Amino acid sequence: AQSVTQLDSQVPVFEEAPVELRCNYSSSVSVYLFWYVQYPNQGLQLLLKYLSGSTLVKGINGFEAEFNKSQTSFHLRKPSVHISDTAEYFCAVSDRGFNKFYFGSGTKLNVKP
Amino acid sequence: NAGVMQNPRHLVRRRGQEARLRCSPMKGHSHVYWYRQLPEEGLKFMVYLQKENIIDESGMPKERFSAEFPKEGPSILRIQQVVRGDSAAYFCASSPDRASGNTIYFGEGSWLTVV
């Protein structure tokens, strides 16, 4: 079975500063990796995904993530955040059978002016 | 091209009543997933369905919860005799198939409040 750990439940950061949201996973098999964003009272929107190939994945809104197989990590980064990035971010893994996704408990990003 | 449609968006039920949540997948999608998000928690997988088949219901509580995805019409998540602990956001997601490694697309959720 897979599991996902998001180490930080909340991350406060000032506008225009860089940010990294951490995600570690455990799995005995190869997986697909995803980051989703959830704005208040809304559903989840896909930011980016890693299926194969280059370990550095670029997504929407200037976010990127790097797959590190040896460290079983998939940390999300943005070099300069904006107020509008304030939201909750979820890391997820799916097995190659693509039967279901396992989500982390989420990280609330709070961008301050 | 409409996305995943869920209704109702908000539902209030008294303890002991039934709650029915509906999900219409994206056009062309035949796989539906239901997730539950409890306050201050992440999303927990409940059930994975294809048309007329339950593929994986390992995340469904053993009692009071059921799901279906009929040949025609939306997928339904049904909660009988609701209790306060059922208060949560219920998200539906859909995908076209599982072979391609494609992602799943989420609806905007149904917020259930049990009073």
Side-chain angles (χ1 to χ4, degrees):
Chain A
Q2 291 83 22
S3 68
V4 180
T5 302
Q6 291 183 244
L7 297 168
D8 306 301
S9 59
Q10 298 196 40
V11 173
V13 63
F14 287 105
E15 193 173 18
E16 299 183 5
V19 71
E20 178 180 85
L21 306 184
R22 295 181 292 170
C23 172
N24 289 86
Y25 69 93
S26 65
S27 175
S28 58
V29 299
S30 296
V31 296
Y32 298 133
L33 295 155
F34 304 80
W35 274 98
Y36 284 84
V37 59
Q38 184 181 30
Y39 298 100
N41 297 320
Q42 293 187 25
L44 277 74
Q45 179 183 357
L46 179 67
L47 271 180
L48 48 79
K49 60 183 177 182
Y50 171 78
L51 303 182
S52 65
S54 173
T55 57
L56 183 62
V57 180
K58 294 188 182 298
I60 62 172
N61 300 341
F63 283 94
E64 63 181 32
E66 186 159 17
F67 170 56
N68 188 319
K69 188 175 182 179
S70 62
Q71 296 186 7
T72 60
S73 68
F74 191 54
H75 300 332
L76 181 70
R77 301 186 184 99
K78 186 169 182 178
S80 176
V81 294
H82 192 266
I83 295 287
S84 60
D85 292 324
T86 295
E88 191 160 17
Y89 293 79
F90 291 93
C91 180
V93 302
S94 169
D95 60 24
R96 294 280 173 163
F98 202 60
N99 288 333
K100 54 191 172 187
F101 282 54
Y102 298 86
F103 284 85
S105 55
T107 297
K108 291 182 178 176
L109 177 64
N110 184 15
V111 181
K112 303 176 182 179
Chain B
N1 186 15
V4 178
M5 304 300 291
Q6 290 189 246
N7 70 82
R9 290 295 312 279
H10 298 275
L11 182 64
V12 179
R13 284 287 178 266
R14 296 186 183 279
R15 281 178 293 173
Q17 290 185 318
E18 178 180 286
R20 284 194 180 215
L21 309 177
R22 296 175 193 79
C23 170
S24 296
M26 286 180 69
K27 187 177 181 180
H29 287 193
S30 59
H31 298 236
V32 165
Y33 310 76
W34 284 95
Y35 286 80
R36 177 165 62 175
Q37 184 179 30
L38 293 167
E40 305 301 319
E41 294 187 19
L43 281 78
K44 303 294 185 187
F45 169 79
M46 298 182 76
V47 62
Y48 163 39
L49 310 106
Q50 294 179 28
K51 288 280 188 182
E52 299 184 282
N53 283 309
I54 297 175
I55 306 302
D56 183 345
E57 56 181 348
S58 58
M60 289 279 272
K62 298 297 181 201
E63 298 177 346
R64 301 187 298 108
F65 284 72
S66 62
E68 64 176 8
F69 189 17
K71 187 176 181 180
E72 301 291 338
S75 174
I76 307 284
L77 179 67
R78 182 183 179 202
I79 311 171
Q80 295 178 291
Q81 299 176 323
V82 295
V83 300
R84 289 243 171 94
D86 297 332
S87 295
Y90 292 83
F91 289 95
C92 173
S94 72
S95 68
D97 60 59
R98 69 181 193 186
S100 65
N102 211 336
T103 190
I104 59 176
Y105 298 87
F106 283 86
E108 296 198 331
S110 291
W111 269 258
L112 172 66
T113 301
V114 180
V115 298

